[in-house]
Amino acid sequence: ASLIGPIAPAEGPLSALTRPTLAGLAQPGSVLSAQPGRWQPRPASVTYTWRRCNPNSRACLAIEGATGTAYRLAAADVGHTLVVVETASTGTATQSAYSVASPIVR
């Protein structure tokens, strides 16, 4: 009989210790920048996606092509809030954390 049982994965689950934050002015033409959150354990990679939300930040849709750490606000953003989603990955573990929403773009 074999004494080998289930083998635990080498990496544990990812946990967001702090969420990403936004820096910049919420007005067309300005740039919002994502400041990364902190993760445990340290992820192998981190990606970003930006989402345009309704004024109360409850319903959000991904902004096509907005996948960097910075996003230049456009006329289409007026009347909306924005959030950045930071997705961390290591091995087979993936976890996402949402920033607090920006003020309404005016």
Side-chain angles (χ1 to χ4, degrees):
S2 173
L3 296 177
I4 298 176
I7 299 173
E11 69 280 331
L14 285 165
S15 295
L17 301 176
T18 62
R19 65 168 100 192
T21 58
L22 299 178
L25 297 175
Q27 60 189 36
S30 292
V31 174
L32 287 180
S33 298
Q35 308 301 312
R38 288 186 340 147
W39 296 90
Q40 181 65 39
R42 178 179 223 137
S45 66
V46 177
T47 60
Y48 295 89
T49 55
W50 292 83
R51 296 186 180 196
R52 183 180 297 122
C53 307
N54 63 355
N56 68 5
S57 305
R58 298 280 183 197
C60 304
L61 294 173
I63 301 171
E64 189 174 332
T67 58
T69 57
Y71 173 73
R72 183 171 302 277
L73 295 162
D77 299 317
V78 173
H80 298 274
T81 61
L82 283 94
V83 295
V84 69
V85 181
E86 182 179 59
T87 302
S89 300
T90 190
T92 59
T94 299
Q95 184 67 40
S96 295
Y98 286 68
S99 69
V100 171
S102 72
I104 296 172
V105 178
R106 305 211 183 268

